[in-house]
Amino acid sequence: MSIKKRNLLIMWICNFLVAASATMVLPFISLYISTFGDFSSDYVQRWSGFVFGVTFLTAFLVSPLWGRVGDKYGFKPILLITGYGIAISIFFMGIMNSVMGLFILRMLMGVVTGFIPTSIALISKQTSKYEAGKTLGTLQMGNVAGSLFGPLIGGMMADAFGFQYTFIITAASIIIATTVVLFGIKEIKQPENVKTRNPHTRKDVIKLILNRRMLIMVMIIALIIQVGNFSIQPLLALYVSEMTRAGSVAFLSGLAFSATGFGNLLLTRQWGKLGDDIGYEKVLMILLALAAILIVPQALVTELWQLVLLRFLFGMAVGGMLPCITAYIRMEAPLEMQGEVLGYNQSFRFLGNVVGPALGGIVAGQAGISSVFYVTGALFLFAFGLLWWSIRHEHENVRESY
């Protein structure tokens, strides 16, 4: 087996473990906060959004720095720093007993958040641009598969052992995944002559992004996608609890989370491969339209099985968005600054991860949780229109150049 294929296999396994571990605790963050005291539902909803999103606010600031360091020194050291750092942060969350303490830990965790994005950058840099969609789609399947089983496992553990032990087990799983990277990954380093032939500054990278209209537009759309995806996630457990009187709310919340992941798993690789064939921006337009159509009915469900079915169908659409965006950037960005460009794209996504939960918490507090789905549908439609306009404008410029 070649080094590239071996690295892809190992990172698939590690992404599975990290994604499964991280999503073990996501479904019940709002429920965990409610155990800290006798709080109103508005307070829990608001702080669920803040606690969920603050990690990504810190990561938004740090992500380009990790990308630049990766371009210069390699991505494996960053994988080790972020992996062990996330594990330590989650461990201490399990012994926390205050909302503000949990908020601070989530904020500090943002400095080292980025294991999965860094793994994508590592694999992307060693992959041919002609098969980037398929390869990155395959890697994304590890993340998606972990996201599929993580909420179910986490929900069962939370119901059986309590929230605190679930955090500790999660930290142990991430330590195992990071140790596999330590001993298993052999990074294909960039030749020294390539590094020194075209030295670039941060200003050069920003100039490149701003001068390529479609590149900056794709990053803005990545931000909108994350706002849409994350606006409902911290509130999903509360939404499920409104629909059922069953005692195992954490498990049922995990089931609703996992339905989206299962939909992702079925078609993520196929969407990436289709992007290789017809263009990543075209596939992204299709997915944005489908996501808008499938998110709105989730506000109208009256039974849990209806929500699970719609989350599954929605997952089939959103699963291909990240591979298409990353593959497009892989095609457009020069190799020597690819990690930093992907870092800026990740910053846009992290910013969406911040805005999404905060927006969802505010909207839910004012108009109810179901209203968040309507707002999310409007965001996906807006992103669709923005991308359609950008592609049309790009084609007109090409015709005028001839």
Side-chain angles (χ1 to χ4, degrees), residues 5 22 35 41 57 63 68 97 157 176 184 220 256 292 314 347 368:
K5 289 184 178 179
T35 65
S41 59
L57 177 61
S63 190
R68 187 170 183 83
N97 57 7
M157 287 196 301
I176 291 171
I220 292 172
F314 176 71
S347 278

Side-chain angles (χ1 to χ4, degrees), residues 77-269:
I78 300 173
L79 287 171
L80 300 178
I81 293 170
T82 56
Y84 288 126
I86 291 169
I88 292 170
S89 301
I90 290 178
F91 174 82
F92 282 105
M93 287 177 204
I95 58 177
M96 184 51 59
N97 57 7
S98 73
V99 178
M100 187 53 64
L102 185 63
F103 179 84
I104 292 171
L105 279 172
R106 290 279 299 177
M107 181 175 63
L108 294 175
M109 180 178 165
V111 176
V112 290
T113 290
F115 182 94
I116 290 175
T118 301
S119 74
I120 292 172
L122 184 148
I123 297 300
S124 173
K125 203 159 189 175
Q126 68 182 31
T127 301
S128 166
K129 64 182 180 181
Y130 301 108
E131 56 181 23
K134 182 177 70 175
T135 301
L136 294 172
T138 302
L139 181 62
Q140 177 74 355
M141 287 174 66
N143 177 21
V144 169
S147 301
L148 168 63
F149 292 105
L152 283 175
I153 297 170
M156 287 188 290
M157 287 196 301
D159 287 332
F161 309 119
F163 298 132
Q164 292 185 330
Y165 284 109
T166 304
F167 278 99
I168 294 170
I169 294 170
T170 295
S173 299
I174 295 176
I175 287 174
I176 291 171
T178 309
T179 304
V180 171
V181 170
L182 175 62
F183 294 106
I185 287 292
K186 183 176 181 181
E187 184 168 3
I188 301 172
K189 294 293 182 65
Q190 201 176 336
E192 289 297 323
N193 62 333
V194 175
K195 290 182 182 178
T196 56
R197 188 173 61 225
N198 298 309
H200 65 276
T201 63
R202 181 172 297 177
K203 184 179 178 180
D204 294 330
V205 177
I206 295 174
K207 186 177 179 181
L208 169 80
I209 295 171
L210 295 178
N211 285 342
R212 299 191 181 185
R213 182 189 298 270
M214 276 298 295
L215 197 57
I216 185 65
M217 200 57 66
V218 164
M219 292 186 182
I220 292 172
I221 288 169
L223 184 154
I224 296 172
I225 290 168
Q226 293 304 104
V227 172
N229 284 336
F230 278 76
S231 60
I232 191 62
Q233 284 200 18
L235 305 170
L236 201 56
L238 296 175
Y239 193 51
V240 169
S241 67
E242 291 178 0
M243 272 182 236
T244 178
R245 296 181 180 178
S248 53
V249 175
F251 171 73
L252 294 174
S253 302
L255 183 63
F257 265 72
S258 294
T260 307
F262 189 58
N264 276 211
L265 186 63
L266 287 183
L267 290 184
T268 293
R269 189 172 185 270

Side-chain angles (χ1 to χ4, degrees), residues 285-397:
M285 278 189 65
I286 295 171
L287 297 176
L288 287 168
L290 288 174
I293 293 169
L294 293 167
I295 192 72
V296 172
Q298 295 176 41
L300 306 173
V301 297
T302 56
E303 301 288 342
L304 182 59
W305 69 266
Q306 297 169 347
L307 178 65
V308 170
L309 176 61
L310 286 169
R311 295 296 295 176
F312 166 73
L313 295 174
F314 176 71
M316 294 174 70
V318 298
M321 292 180 182
L322 176 59
C324 285
I325 288 174
T326 307
Y328 183 85
I329 294 172
R330 166 67 183 89
M331 185 174 64
E332 291 292 314
L335 188 64
E336 66 272 9
M337 59 175 68
Q338 193 177 108
E340 191 167 355
V341 174
L342 285 170
Y344 279 103
N345 177 65
Q346 192 60 39
S347 278
F348 274 82
R349 296 183 68 238
F350 280 140
L351 181 60
N353 294 358
V354 175
V355 175
L359 175 65
I362 292 170
V363 171
Q366 295 295 322
I369 295 177
S370 61
S371 62
V372 179
F373 293 103
Y374 295 117
V375 173
T376 301
L379 286 172
F380 283 125
L381 277 179
F382 175 71
F384 171 85
L386 197 61
L387 183 57
W388 175 81
W389 177 84
S390 300
I391 293 173
R392 184 178 178 182
H393 191 80
E394 190 83 3
H395 289 169
E396 287 175 357
N397 286 345

